[in-house]
Protein backbone atom coordinates (compact mmCIF):
# COMPACT_ATOMS: atom_id res chain seq x y z
CA UNK A 1 0.00 0.00 0.00
CA UNK A 2 1.11 3.59 -0.58
CA UNK A 3 0.16 6.57 1.54
CA UNK A 4 -0.61 8.54 -1.61
CA UNK A 5 -3.51 6.15 -2.26
CA UNK A 6 -5.11 7.40 0.95
CA UNK A 7 -4.85 11.04 -0.06
CA UNK A 8 -8.27 10.85 -1.72
CA UNK A 9 -9.75 11.17 1.79
CA UNK A 10 -9.88 14.63 3.31
CA UNK A 11 -10.89 13.66 6.87
CA UNK A 12 -8.64 11.13 8.53
CA UNK A 13 -8.79 9.71 12.05
CA UNK A 14 -5.74 7.79 13.24
CA UNK A 15 -6.36 5.39 16.09
CA UNK A 16 -3.67 3.92 18.36
CA UNK A 17 -4.44 0.75 20.31
CA UNK A 18 -5.90 1.00 23.81
CA UNK A 19 -3.34 1.79 26.47
CA UNK A 20 -1.04 3.12 23.72
CA UNK A 21 2.68 2.49 23.91
CA UNK A 22 5.43 4.67 22.40
CA UNK A 23 5.39 2.73 19.11
CA UNK A 24 1.65 3.23 18.61
CA UNK A 25 1.92 6.93 19.47
CA UNK A 26 4.93 7.52 17.22
CA UNK A 27 3.27 5.69 14.30
CA UNK A 28 0.10 7.73 14.69
CA UNK A 29 2.13 10.93 14.95
CA UNK A 30 4.01 10.10 11.73
CA UNK A 31 0.79 9.64 9.80
CA UNK A 32 -0.69 12.78 11.37
CA UNK A 33 2.30 14.87 10.30
CA UNK A 34 2.19 13.37 6.83
CA UNK A 35 -1.50 13.89 6.18
CA UNK A 36 -1.64 17.40 7.64
CA UNK A 37 1.32 18.32 5.40
CA UNK A 38 -0.92 17.28 2.50
CA UNK A 39 -3.65 19.64 3.71
CA UNK A 40 -5.90 16.95 5.19
CA UNK A 41 -7.90 17.22 8.40
CA UNK A 42 -6.28 14.65 10.63
CA UNK A 43 -6.60 13.73 14.28
CA UNK A 44 -5.07 11.12 16.57
CA UNK A 45 -7.28 9.24 19.00
CA UNK A 46 -7.24 6.27 21.35
CA UNK A 47 -9.89 4.65 23.48
CA UNK A 48 -10.33 1.87 26.01
CA UNK A 49 -10.78 1.63 29.73
CA UNK A 50 -7.91 3.78 30.90
CA UNK A 51 -6.16 6.97 29.96
CA UNK A 52 -2.42 7.27 29.35
CA UNK A 53 -0.57 7.10 32.67
CA UNK A 54 2.96 5.78 32.21
CA UNK A 55 5.47 8.55 32.72
CA UNK A 56 7.58 7.83 29.65
CA UNK A 57 4.46 7.83 27.45
CA UNK A 58 3.17 11.07 28.98
CA UNK A 59 6.60 12.64 28.43
CA UNK A 60 6.69 11.46 24.83
CA UNK A 61 3.27 12.95 24.11
CA UNK A 62 4.06 16.25 25.83
CA UNK A 63 7.61 16.83 24.62
CA UNK A 64 6.99 15.85 21.02
CA UNK A 65 3.64 17.65 20.90
CA UNK A 66 1.56 14.68 19.82
CA UNK A 67 -2.09 15.85 19.66
CA UNK A 68 -3.59 12.58 20.88
CA UNK A 69 -7.13 12.66 22.29
CA UNK A 70 -9.07 10.11 24.32
CA UNK A 71 -12.48 9.15 22.92
CA UNK A 72 -15.19 6.89 24.32
CA UNK A 73 -15.33 3.34 22.90
CA UNK A 74 -17.78 2.86 20.01
CA UNK A 75 -17.50 6.45 18.84
CA UNK A 76 -18.94 6.79 15.35
CA UNK A 77 -16.79 9.05 13.20
CA UNK A 78 -19.04 8.94 10.15
CA UNK A 79 -17.68 9.75 6.74
CA UNK A 80 -13.94 9.59 7.43
CA UNK A 81 -11.01 7.31 6.85
CA UNK A 82 -10.14 5.55 10.14
CA UNK A 83 -6.60 4.12 10.26
CA UNK A 84 -5.62 1.83 13.13
CA UNK A 85 -1.88 1.82 13.81
CA UNK A 86 0.21 -0.77 15.65
CA UNK A 87 -2.97 -2.85 15.89
CA UNK A 88 -5.71 -4.17 13.64
CA UNK A 89 -9.23 -2.88 13.23
CA UNK A 90 -11.74 -5.15 14.96
CA UNK A 91 -9.18 -6.99 17.09
CA UNK A 92 -9.29 -7.21 20.87
CA UNK A 93 -6.63 -4.69 21.85
CA UNK A 94 -8.29 -1.76 20.09
CA UNK A 95 -11.76 -0.53 21.08
CA UNK A 96 -13.97 -0.55 18.06
CA UNK A 97 -15.01 2.78 16.62
CA UNK A 98 -16.91 3.10 13.40
CA UNK A 99 -16.16 4.95 10.18
CA UNK A 100 -17.14 4.76 6.53
CA UNK A 101 -13.70 3.57 5.43
CA UNK A 102 -11.03 1.75 7.44
CA UNK A 103 -7.32 1.02 7.05
CA UNK A 104 -4.77 -1.02 9.00
CA UNK A 105 -1.08 -0.18 9.30
CA UNK A 106 0.62 -2.66 11.61
CA UNK A 107 3.57 -4.95 12.27
CA UNK A 108 1.81 -7.75 14.17
CA UNK A 109 0.49 -10.92 12.69
CA UNK A 110 -3.27 -10.79 12.72
CA UNK A 111 -6.35 -10.97 10.60
CA UNK A 112 -8.14 -7.66 11.05
CA UNK A 113 -10.41 -6.81 8.14
CA UNK A 114 -10.43 -3.35 6.60
CA UNK A 115 -10.62 -1.55 3.26
CA UNK A 116 -6.86 -0.91 3.16
CA UNK A 117 -4.22 -3.01 4.81
CA UNK A 118 -0.45 -2.92 5.16
CA UNK A 119 0.89 -5.39 7.72
CA UNK A 120 4.56 -6.38 7.90
CA UNK A 121 5.25 -8.72 10.82
CA UNK A 122 8.96 -8.89 10.01
CA UNK A 123 9.50 -5.28 11.14
CA UNK A 124 10.59 -4.46 14.69
CA UNK A 125 8.12 -1.61 15.04
CA UNK A 126 5.12 0.00 13.39
CA UNK A 127 7.16 3.23 13.48
CA UNK A 128 9.51 1.64 10.94
CA UNK A 129 6.62 0.88 8.63
CA UNK A 130 5.23 4.42 8.88
CA UNK A 131 8.73 5.87 8.31
CA UNK A 132 9.18 3.65 5.26
CA UNK A 133 5.80 4.58 3.79
CA UNK A 134 6.55 8.30 4.29
CA UNK A 135 10.06 7.92 2.79
CA UNK A 136 8.51 6.28 -0.25
CA UNK A 137 6.43 9.42 -0.81
CA UNK A 138 9.57 11.55 -0.55
CA UNK A 139 8.74 13.10 2.84
CA UNK A 140 11.56 15.25 4.23
CA UNK A 141 12.25 14.26 7.85
CA UNK A 142 15.14 16.66 8.36
CA UNK A 143 12.83 19.52 9.39
CA UNK A 144 11.06 17.56 12.10
CA UNK A 145 13.34 16.43 14.95
CA UNK A 146 10.39 15.76 17.24
CA UNK A 147 8.86 13.29 14.80
CA UNK A 148 12.27 11.65 14.29
CA UNK A 149 12.65 11.35 18.06
CA UNK A 150 9.23 9.76 18.48
CA UNK A 151 9.83 7.22 15.70
CA UNK A 152 13.27 6.37 17.06
CA UNK A 153 11.87 5.87 20.55
CA UNK A 154 9.01 3.78 19.14
CA UNK A 155 11.44 1.31 17.58
CA UNK A 156 13.67 1.40 20.63
CA UNK A 157 10.95 0.42 23.09
CA UNK A 158 9.42 -2.22 20.81
CA UNK A 159 12.75 -4.01 20.32
CA UNK A 160 14.20 -4.09 23.85
CA UNK A 161 16.51 -1.13 23.27
CA UNK A 162 17.19 -2.25 19.68
CA UNK A 163 18.45 -5.64 20.84
CA UNK A 164 15.71 -7.42 18.93
CA UNK A 165 16.17 -5.52 15.70
CA UNK A 166 16.67 -8.00 12.90
CA UNK A 167 15.32 -6.45 9.71
CA UNK A 168 17.54 -4.15 7.62
CA UNK A 169 14.70 -1.62 7.24
CA UNK A 170 14.71 -1.13 11.02
CA UNK A 171 18.43 -0.44 10.86
CA UNK A 172 17.94 1.93 7.93
CA UNK A 173 15.54 3.99 9.99
CA UNK A 174 17.83 4.00 13.06
CA UNK A 175 20.71 5.25 10.91
CA UNK A 176 18.82 7.94 9.09
CA UNK A 177 16.74 9.64 11.78
CA UNK A 178 18.11 12.84 13.25
CA UNK A 179 16.60 12.56 16.74
CA UNK A 180 17.07 14.38 20.04
CA UNK A 181 19.40 12.38 22.28
CA UNK A 182 18.35 14.42 25.31
CA UNK A 183 14.69 13.58 24.91
CA UNK A 184 15.38 9.89 24.42
CA UNK A 185 17.46 9.94 27.59
CA UNK A 186 14.64 11.67 29.45
CA UNK A 187 12.05 9.08 28.31
CA UNK A 188 14.34 6.13 29.05
CA UNK A 189 14.87 7.19 32.62
CA UNK A 190 11.15 7.17 33.33
CA UNK A 191 10.65 3.71 31.95
CA UNK A 192 9.60 1.66 34.92
CA UNK A 193 6.86 2.22 37.44
CA UNK A 194 7.09 0.99 41.01
CA UNK A 195 4.38 -1.51 40.16
CA UNK A 196 6.53 -2.90 37.36
CA UNK A 197 9.51 -3.13 39.64
CA UNK A 198 7.38 -5.38 41.80
CA UNK A 199 6.30 -7.47 38.79
CA UNK A 200 9.96 -7.97 37.88
CA UNK A 201 10.77 -9.06 41.43
CA UNK A 202 7.90 -11.55 41.53
CA UNK A 203 8.84 -13.01 38.16
CA UNK A 204 12.41 -13.62 39.29
CA UNK A 205 11.31 -15.53 42.38
CA UNK A 206 9.26 -18.04 40.38
CA UNK A 207 11.83 -19.30 37.90
CA UNK A 208 12.04 -22.78 36.44
CA UNK A 209 15.58 -24.11 35.98
CA UNK A 210 16.77 -27.00 33.83
CA UNK A 211 19.88 -28.40 35.45
CA UNK A 212 21.01 -30.52 32.57
CA UNK A 213 20.97 -27.90 29.86
CA UNK A 214 21.32 -24.91 32.15
CA UNK A 215 18.43 -22.78 31.06
CA UNK A 216 15.75 -20.75 32.83
CA UNK A 217 12.09 -20.26 31.99
CA UNK A 218 10.44 -17.32 33.72
CA UNK A 219 6.81 -16.27 33.55
CA UNK A 220 6.01 -12.66 34.28
CA UNK A 221 2.69 -10.96 34.92
CA UNK A 222 1.59 -8.62 32.13
CA UNK A 223 3.87 -5.59 31.95
CA UNK A 224 5.54 -3.35 29.42
CA UNK A 225 7.51 -5.47 26.93
CA UNK A 226 10.80 -3.79 27.81
CA UNK A 227 10.47 -5.00 31.43
CA UNK A 228 10.85 -8.54 30.09
CA UNK A 229 14.29 -7.65 28.78
CA UNK A 230 15.19 -6.10 32.09
CA UNK A 231 14.19 -9.24 34.01
CA UNK A 232 16.08 -11.38 31.55
CA UNK A 233 19.29 -9.36 31.75
CA UNK A 234 19.37 -10.06 35.49
CA UNK A 235 18.52 -13.76 35.04
CA UNK A 236 21.36 -14.37 32.61
CA UNK A 237 23.92 -13.12 35.07
CA UNK A 238 23.30 -16.12 37.31
CA UNK A 239 26.42 -18.31 37.29
CA UNK A 240 24.65 -21.55 36.36
CA UNK A 241 22.51 -20.06 33.61
CA UNK A 242 23.51 -20.17 29.94
CA UNK A 243 20.16 -19.43 28.32
CA UNK A 244 17.10 -17.69 29.67
CA UNK A 245 13.57 -17.18 28.35
CA UNK A 246 11.07 -14.76 29.92
CA UNK A 247 7.52 -14.47 28.63
CA UNK A 248 4.12 -13.04 29.47
CA UNK A 249 0.70 -12.34 28.06
CA UNK A 250 0.70 -9.37 25.74
CA UNK A 251 -2.16 -7.95 23.67
CA UNK A 252 -3.91 -11.11 22.57
CA UNK A 253 -0.82 -13.25 22.50
CA UNK A 254 2.50 -13.63 24.24
CA UNK A 255 5.65 -11.61 24.24
CA UNK A 256 8.97 -13.29 24.94
CA UNK A 257 12.55 -12.32 25.58
CA UNK A 258 15.53 -14.62 25.01
CA UNK A 259 19.11 -14.29 26.27
CA UNK A 260 22.10 -16.52 25.70
CA UNK A 261 25.71 -16.40 26.85
CA UNK A 262 26.85 -19.65 25.24
CA UNK A 263 28.17 -19.95 21.70
CA UNK A 264 26.12 -23.14 21.26
CA UNK A 265 22.83 -21.20 21.32
CA UNK A 266 22.07 -18.08 19.31
CA UNK A 267 19.33 -16.12 21.04
CA UNK A 268 17.83 -14.83 17.77
CA UNK A 269 17.54 -18.35 16.42
CA UNK A 270 15.98 -19.72 19.58
CA UNK A 271 13.47 -16.84 19.47
CA UNK A 272 12.68 -17.87 15.87
CA UNK A 273 12.30 -21.49 16.96
CA UNK A 274 9.95 -20.66 19.84
CA UNK A 275 7.69 -18.57 17.58
CA UNK A 276 7.88 -20.74 14.45
CA UNK A 277 4.57 -20.73 12.50
CA UNK A 278 2.77 -18.91 15.32
CA UNK A 279 4.44 -15.50 15.39
CA UNK A 280 7.77 -13.89 14.78
CA UNK A 281 11.08 -13.65 16.60
CA UNK A 282 14.62 -12.48 16.10
CA UNK A 283 17.31 -10.08 17.18
CA UNK A 284 20.93 -10.49 18.08
CA UNK A 285 23.08 -13.51 18.85
CA UNK A 286 22.99 -12.84 22.59
CA UNK A 287 19.74 -10.88 23.02
CA UNK A 288 16.50 -11.45 21.15
CA UNK A 289 12.75 -11.42 21.50
CA UNK A 290 9.53 -12.35 19.83
CA UNK A 291 5.78 -12.40 19.78
CA UNK A 292 3.35 -15.32 19.63
CA UNK A 293 -0.07 -14.63 18.18
CA UNK A 294 -2.79 -15.98 20.49
CA UNK A 295 -5.10 -17.17 17.69
CA UNK A 296 -2.36 -18.92 15.79
CA UNK A 297 -1.08 -20.58 18.93
CA UNK A 298 -4.60 -21.78 19.68
CA UNK A 299 -4.99 -23.17 16.16
CA UNK A 300 -1.68 -25.00 16.05
CA UNK A 301 -1.47 -26.33 19.61
CA UNK A 302 -5.18 -26.51 20.33
CA UNK A 303 -5.79 -26.21 23.99
CA UNK A 304 -2.19 -26.56 25.10
CA UNK A 305 -1.15 -24.50 28.05
CA UNK A 306 1.42 -21.81 27.24
CA UNK A 307 3.54 -22.84 30.23
CA UNK A 308 3.62 -26.42 28.99
CA UNK A 309 4.39 -25.20 25.48
CA UNK A 310 7.53 -23.36 26.55
CA UNK A 311 8.65 -26.27 28.71
CA UNK A 312 8.23 -28.86 25.96
CA UNK A 313 9.51 -26.75 23.12
CA UNK A 314 12.69 -25.80 24.97
CA UNK A 315 13.28 -29.40 25.99
CA UNK A 316 12.91 -30.47 22.38
CA UNK A 317 15.27 -27.72 21.24
CA UNK A 318 18.03 -28.88 23.52
CA UNK A 319 17.41 -32.62 23.21
CA UNK A 320 16.88 -32.96 19.49
CA UNK A 321 19.77 -30.86 18.40
CA UNK A 322 23.16 -32.18 17.40
CA UNK A 323 26.24 -30.01 17.40
CA UNK A 324 29.02 -30.79 14.93
CA UNK A 325 32.53 -29.45 15.21
CA UNK A 326 33.94 -30.20 11.77
CA UNK A 327 37.45 -29.57 13.02
CA UNK A 328 37.43 -32.80 15.02
CA UNK A 329 34.75 -34.91 13.34
CA UNK A 330 33.96 -36.28 9.92
CA UNK A 331 30.20 -36.37 9.41
CA UNK A 332 28.61 -39.58 8.23
CA UNK A 333 28.05 -39.65 4.46
CA UNK A 334 25.36 -42.28 4.86
CA UNK A 335 22.13 -41.39 3.10
CA UNK A 336 23.74 -38.54 1.21
CA UNK A 337 22.76 -38.20 -2.44
CA UNK A 338 24.39 -36.50 -5.38
CA UNK A 339 22.81 -33.22 -6.51
CA UNK A 340 23.84 -30.98 -9.37
CA UNK A 341 23.97 -27.19 -9.39
CA UNK A 342 21.23 -25.70 -11.55
CA UNK A 343 22.04 -22.86 -13.88
CA UNK A 344 20.65 -19.80 -12.11
CA UNK A 345 20.81 -16.12 -12.90
CA UNK A 346 22.33 -13.96 -10.20
CA UNK A 347 23.50 -10.39 -9.96
CA UNK A 348 27.04 -9.15 -9.56
CA UNK A 349 28.60 -5.73 -9.07
CA UNK A 350 32.10 -4.43 -9.68
CA UNK A 351 32.32 -1.91 -6.83
CA UNK A 352 35.76 -0.72 -7.97
CA UNK A 353 34.03 0.78 -11.01
CA UNK A 354 31.88 3.04 -8.81
CA UNK A 355 34.01 3.65 -5.72
CA UNK A 356 37.70 4.30 -5.00
CA UNK A 357 39.84 1.36 -3.89
CA UNK A 358 39.82 0.68 -0.13
CA UNK A 359 36.62 2.66 0.58
CA UNK A 360 35.12 1.30 3.82
CA UNK A 361 31.59 0.10 3.13
CA UNK A 362 28.80 -1.77 4.87
CA UNK A 363 26.61 -3.92 2.67
CA UNK A 364 23.21 -4.19 4.28
CA UNK A 365 21.26 -7.35 3.45
CA UNK A 366 18.28 -9.25 4.79
CA UNK A 367 20.73 -11.52 6.61
CA UNK A 368 22.63 -8.74 8.33
CA UNK A 369 25.36 -6.16 7.75
CA UNK A 370 28.69 -7.09 6.15
CA UNK A 371 31.64 -4.71 6.61
CA UNK A 372 34.16 -4.81 3.77
CA UNK A 373 36.51 -2.60 1.75
CA UNK A 374 36.32 -1.95 -1.96
CA UNK A 375 38.83 -4.29 -3.61
CA UNK A 376 39.49 -4.28 -7.36
CA UNK A 377 40.13 -8.04 -7.31
CA UNK A 378 36.64 -8.84 -6.08
CA UNK A 379 33.06 -8.69 -7.32
CA UNK A 380 30.03 -8.58 -5.06
CA UNK A 381 27.55 -11.36 -5.81
CA UNK A 382 23.81 -10.99 -5.19
CA UNK A 383 21.96 -14.27 -4.55
CA UNK A 384 18.34 -15.15 -5.19
CA UNK A 385 17.07 -13.96 -1.83
CA UNK A 386 19.23 -10.84 -1.77
CA UNK A 387 22.08 -12.43 0.14
CA UNK A 388 25.45 -10.92 -0.71
CA UNK A 389 29.00 -12.29 -0.74
CA UNK A 390 32.36 -11.30 -2.23
CA UNK A 391 33.98 -13.45 -4.92
CA UNK A 392 37.46 -13.19 -6.44
CA UNK A 393 37.21 -12.00 -10.06
CA UNK A 394 39.47 -14.80 -11.18
CA UNK A 395 37.21 -17.43 -9.63
CA UNK A 396 34.09 -15.65 -10.89
CA UNK A 397 35.16 -15.84 -14.53
CA UNK A 398 35.82 -19.56 -14.19
CA UNK A 399 32.41 -20.31 -12.72
CA UNK A 400 30.06 -17.68 -14.16
CA UNK A 401 29.19 -16.34 -17.57
CA UNK A 402 28.14 -12.69 -17.92
CA UNK A 403 24.78 -12.22 -19.64
CA UNK A 404 23.80 -9.25 -21.74
CA UNK A 405 20.54 -8.51 -19.95
CA UNK A 406 19.29 -6.14 -17.30
CA UNK A 407 19.51 -7.45 -13.74
CA UNK A 408 16.16 -7.69 -12.04
CA UNK A 409 15.86 -8.20 -8.32
CA UNK A 410 12.83 -9.85 -6.78
CA UNK A 411 13.17 -10.03 -3.06
CA UNK A 412 11.92 -8.56 0.18
CA UNK A 413 14.79 -6.12 0.74
CA UNK A 414 17.17 -4.66 -1.84
CA UNK A 415 20.74 -4.96 -0.57
CA UNK A 416 22.35 -1.52 -0.30
CA UNK A 417 25.86 -0.14 0.16
CA UNK A 418 26.53 2.33 2.97
CA UNK A 419 29.72 4.39 2.78
CA UNK A 420 30.81 4.23 6.39
CA UNK A 421 32.84 7.43 6.50
CA UNK A 422 30.47 9.64 4.56
CA UNK A 423 27.11 8.40 5.80
CA UNK A 424 25.93 8.01 2.19
CA UNK A 425 23.98 5.14 0.69
CA UNK A 426 24.33 3.65 -2.77
CA UNK A 427 21.84 1.48 -4.56
CA UNK A 428 23.57 -1.79 -5.33
CA UNK A 429 20.88 -3.16 -7.59
CA UNK A 430 21.05 -0.37 -10.18
CA UNK A 431 24.78 -1.04 -10.70
CA UNK A 432 24.36 -4.81 -10.92
CA UNK A 433 24.77 -6.94 -14.03
CA UNK A 434 23.39 -10.39 -14.68
CA UNK A 435 25.41 -13.59 -14.72
CA UNK A 436 24.72 -17.31 -14.78
CA UNK A 437 26.84 -20.13 -13.42
CA UNK A 438 28.51 -22.35 -16.04
CA UNK A 439 29.63 -24.69 -13.36
CA UNK A 440 27.09 -27.48 -12.79
CA UNK A 441 29.30 -29.67 -10.64
CA UNK A 442 27.80 -31.79 -7.92
CA UNK A 443 27.51 -31.80 -4.16
CA UNK A 444 26.54 -34.46 -1.66
CA UNK A 445 23.48 -33.60 0.42
CA UNK A 446 20.96 -35.07 2.82
CA UNK A 447 17.71 -33.68 4.19
CA UNK A 448 17.88 -32.96 7.91
CA UNK A 449 15.36 -34.55 10.23
CA UNK A 450 16.53 -32.67 13.30
CA UNK A 451 18.28 -29.47 14.25
CA UNK A 452 22.03 -29.30 13.63
CA UNK A 453 24.54 -26.66 14.49
CA UNK A 454 27.80 -26.78 12.61
CA UNK A 455 30.98 -25.11 13.74
CA UNK A 456 33.20 -24.99 10.68
CA UNK A 457 36.98 -25.10 10.65
CA UNK A 458 37.16 -21.49 9.55
CA UNK A 459 34.78 -20.03 12.12
CA UNK A 460 34.82 -21.77 15.48
CA UNK A 461 32.91 -18.98 17.20
CA UNK A 462 29.69 -18.96 15.19
CA UNK A 463 27.72 -21.94 13.98
CA UNK A 464 25.57 -22.61 10.94
CA UNK A 465 22.07 -23.56 11.84
CA UNK A 466 19.97 -26.14 10.03
CA UNK A 467 16.43 -27.15 10.89
CA UNK A 468 14.41 -30.20 9.84
CA UNK A 469 13.74 -29.91 6.11
CA UNK A 470 16.94 -28.00 5.37
CA UNK A 471 19.88 -29.82 3.78
CA UNK A 472 23.33 -30.65 5.07
CA UNK A 473 25.89 -30.72 2.27
CA UNK A 474 29.54 -30.96 1.26
CA UNK A 475 31.51 -31.25 -1.96
CA UNK A 476 32.83 -34.73 -2.82
CA UNK A 477 36.42 -33.43 -2.99
CA UNK A 478 36.32 -32.16 0.58
CA UNK A 479 33.84 -33.93 2.82
CA UNK A 480 35.08 -32.17 5.90
CA UNK A 481 33.87 -28.80 4.61
CA UNK A 482 30.26 -29.22 5.67
CA UNK A 483 27.56 -26.56 5.37
CA UNK A 484 23.80 -26.09 5.58
CA UNK A 485 21.49 -25.00 2.76
CA UNK A 486 18.03 -23.64 3.51
CA UNK A 487 15.26 -25.74 2.06
CA UNK A 488 13.83 -23.27 -0.45
CA UNK A 489 17.27 -22.15 -1.64
CA UNK A 490 18.25 -25.80 -2.00
CA UNK A 491 15.40 -26.60 -4.39
CA UNK A 492 15.99 -23.43 -6.36
CA UNK A 493 19.71 -24.09 -6.70
CA UNK A 494 20.15 -27.87 -6.97
CA UNK A 495 18.56 -30.80 -8.76
CA UNK A 496 18.86 -34.56 -8.50
CA UNK A 497 20.63 -36.64 -11.14
CA UNK A 498 17.29 -37.61 -12.72
CA UNK A 499 16.09 -34.01 -12.92
CA UNK A 500 19.44 -32.93 -14.34
CA UNK A 501 19.12 -35.52 -17.12
CA UNK A 502 15.66 -34.26 -18.04
CA UNK A 503 16.71 -30.62 -18.07
CA UNK A 504 19.80 -31.37 -20.18
CA UNK A 505 17.80 -33.02 -22.93
MN1 LIG B 1 4.54 -1.98 18.02
Amino acid sequence: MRLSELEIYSDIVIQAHDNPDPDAIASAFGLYVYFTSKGKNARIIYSGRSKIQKTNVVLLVESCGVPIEFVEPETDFGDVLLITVDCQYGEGNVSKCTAKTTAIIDHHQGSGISDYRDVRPYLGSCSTLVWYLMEKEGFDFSENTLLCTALYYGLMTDTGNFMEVSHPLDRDMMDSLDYSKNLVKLFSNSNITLNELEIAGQALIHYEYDEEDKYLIIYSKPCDPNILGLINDIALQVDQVLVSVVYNEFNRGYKLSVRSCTKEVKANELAGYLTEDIGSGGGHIDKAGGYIDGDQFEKKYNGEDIEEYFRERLKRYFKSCSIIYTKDTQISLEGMKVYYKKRIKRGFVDLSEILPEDTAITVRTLEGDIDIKVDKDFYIMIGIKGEVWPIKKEKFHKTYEVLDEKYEFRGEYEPAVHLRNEGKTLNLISSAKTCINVDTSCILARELNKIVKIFTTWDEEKYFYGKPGDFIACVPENTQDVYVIERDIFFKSYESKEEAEVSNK
Side-chain angles (χ1 to χ4, degrees):
M1 190 186 79
R2 292 194 62 140
L3 291 182
S4 51
E5 288 170 49
L6 304 180
E7 285 171 34
I8 52 171
Y9 302 95
S10 47
D11 292 293
I12 300 173
V13 176
I14 306 152
Q15 183 176 11
H17 52 73
D18 299 0
N19 201 3
D21 61 6
D23 185 36
I25 288 170
S27 308
F29 190 35
L31 292 178
Y32 171 85
V33 169
Y34 178 81
F35 287 117
T36 47
S37 80
K38 300 284 171 193
K40 310 292 169 193
N41 293 317
R43 55 191 283 217
I44 304 175
I45 59 124
Y46 74 104
S47 183
R49 265 175 297 180
S50 56
K51 293 193 182 173
I52 295 173
Q53 279 171 345
K54 276 204 74 172
T55 316
N56 62 330
V57 181
V58 173
L59 284 171
L60 170 70
V61 167
E62 284 173 359
S63 356
C64 292
V66 182
I68 188 167
E69 316 157 45
F70 179 83
V71 303
E72 290 303 327
E74 294 173 34
T75 301
D76 179 18
F77 290 102
D79 186 9
V80 304
L81 169 67
L82 176 71
I83 311 174
T84 64
V85 286
D86 200 33
C87 61
Q88 303 194 9
Y89 188 72
E91 295 214 318
N93 62 334
V94 52
S95 295
K96 196 162 182 172
C97 294
T98 41
K100 191 173 172 198
T101 318
T102 53
I104 292 171
I105 295 181
D106 188 23
H107 72 127
H108 297 94
Q109 249 151 22
S111 41
I113 295 166
S114 57
D115 303 305
Y116 297 88
R117 188 181 159 85
D118 195 333
V119 175
R120 306 189 195 203
Y122 51 82
L123 293 178
S125 69
C126 189
S127 300
T128 312
L129 178 51
V130 168
W131 168 80
Y132 172 73
L133 292 172
M134 288 170 73
E135 275 269 295
K136 247 179 35 186
E137 305 300 345
F139 184 86
D140 178 14
F141 287 86
S142 67
E143 298 291 300
N144 200 330
T145 313
L146 292 176
L147 174 59
C148 291
T149 307
L151 292 169
Y152 185 86
Y153 190 59
L155 176 64
M156 180 176 162
T157 48
D158 252 33
T159 57
N161 291 330
F162 303 120
M163 281 306 157
E164 295 157 18
V165 161
S166 61
H167 200 274
L169 263 187
D170 292 322
R171 284 195 291 265
D172 284 346
M173 179 173 89
M174 280 164 71
D175 289 354
S176 80
L177 290 178
D178 193 5
Y179 63 95
S180 155
K181 293 198 178 60
N182 280 332
L183 281 179
V184 170
K185 205 192 261 173
L186 175 74
F187 305 156
S188 309
N189 287 316
S190 319
N191 229 353
I192 304 174
T193 59
L194 280 171
N195 182 37
E196 282 171 332
L197 185 69
E198 202 172 308
I199 289 175
Q202 280 174 0
L204 282 164
I205 296 173
H206 302 289
Y207 61 83
E208 217 178 292
Y209 179 63
D210 184 286
E211 276 182 31
E212 219 181 304
D213 291 304
K214 301 192 182 335
Y215 62 84
L216 280 178
I217 310 176
I218 296 174
Y219 166 76
S220 154
K221 280 192 193 159
C223 60
D224 226 47
N226 58 56
I227 312 292
L228 287 188
L230 182 104
I231 298 170
N232 221 352
D233 286 335
I234 300 173
L236 195 72
Q237 291 181 47
V238 176
D239 56 353
Q240 296 166 67
V241 173
L242 298 179
V243 172
S244 171
V245 176
V246 184
Y247 71 96
N248 68 3
E249 282 114 19
F250 184 75
N251 289 348
R252 296 196 312 129
Y254 307 91
K255 185 100 186 156
L256 59 132
S257 158
V258 180
R259 298 285 184 268
S260 165
C261 61
T262 169
K263 70 167 187 175
E264 268 85 19
V265 176
K266 289 182 188 166
N268 49 358
E269 223 159 61
L270 179 54
Y273 179 80
L274 291 171
T275 55
E276 196 178 334
D277 299 332
I278 49 174
S280 59
H284 295 233
I285 284 182
D286 47 356
K287 298 185 178 201
Y291 177 72
I292 291 175
D293 180 76
D295 288 341
Q296 293 193 38
F297 175 73
E298 209 38 53
K299 227 186 266 164
K300 183 150 184 188
Y301 296 94
N302 59 85
E304 194 174 333
D305 185 52
I306 191 74
E307 205 179 318
E308 201 48 33
Y309 169 77
F310 275 109
R311 205 175 285 141
E312 286 304 314
R313 188 100 177 141
L314 274 158
K315 201 179 281 166
R316 194 165 343 134
Y317 179 82
F318 283 96
K319 292 291 172 257
S320 73
C321 154
S322 54
I323 300 180
I324 303 168
Y325 303 86
T326 61
K327 199 179 155 201
D328 332 298
T329 35
Q330 165 65 57
I331 64 150
S332 157
L333 300 180
E334 210 185 297
M336 283 201 152
K337 279 201 226 146
V338 174
Y339 290 90
Y340 292 87
K341 283 183 192 154
K342 286 187 191 174
R343 297 197 71 195
I344 298 178
K345 288 177 192 169
R346 294 184 174 86
F348 74 102
V349 181
D350 188 352
L351 282 176
S352 65
E353 278 179 4
I354 352 175
L355 293 168
E357 181 83 356
D358 285 331
T359 311
I361 56 167
T362 298
V363 186
R364 181 156 292 167
T365 77
L366 203 51
E367 293 172 315
D369 286 357
I370 313 166
D371 291 340
I372 46 172
K373 279 185 171 173
V374 174
D375 185 331
K376 61 173 178 2
D377 294 332
F378 282 84
Y379 290 127
I380 296 289
M381 293 292 299
I382 306 165
I384 29 184
K385 281 177 88 178
E387 67 279 21
V388 158
W389 68 96
I391 182 171
K392 252 206 140 110
K393 286 184 179 172
E394 207 187 313
K395 183 174 174 199
F396 174 89
H397 289 293
K398 277 184 199 151
T399 40
Y400 292 93
E401 178 188 324
V402 179
L403 298 180
D404 185 23
E405 58 184 78
K406 197 172 169 281
Y407 175 64
E408 278 186 54
F409 178 74
R410 284 188 199 88
E412 185 185 302
Y413 179 83
E414 288 193 0
V417 169
H418 297 257
L419 307 184
R420 284 210 294 281
N421 301 332
E422 292 164 59
K424 263 196 288 185
T425 305
L426 283 182
N427 185 321
L428 198 61
I429 300 300
S430 60
S431 319
K433 295 173 188 148
T434 310
C435 64
I436 189 165
N437 54 304
V438 282
D439 165 39
T440 52
S441 61
C442 68
I443 59 162
L444 296 170
R446 166 164 40 89
E447 189 173 333
L448 290 169
N449 51 21
K450 59 181 196 170
I451 297 173
V452 295
K453 296 175 177 181
I454 300 171
F455 287 91
T456 59
T457 37
W458 41 274
D459 190 351
E460 293 176 38
E461 290 303 312
K462 276 188 238 147
Y463 59 80
F464 284 95
Y465 178 81
K467 56 181 186 304
D470 291 344
F471 283 78
I472 186 166
C474 61
V475 287
E477 306 82 60
N478 182 2
T479 53
Q480 197 135 30
D481 185 11
V482 181
Y483 49 97
V484 172
I485 307 168
E486 248 181 68
R487 187 178 183 82
D488 62 330
I489 294 203
F490 183 84
F491 287 114
K492 278 181 191 151
S493 320
Y494 297 93
E495 57 192 352
S496 65
K497 193 159 177 261
E498 299 75 39
E499 289 164 332
E501 276 162 7
V502 174
S503 54
N504 285 340
K505 262 176 202 163

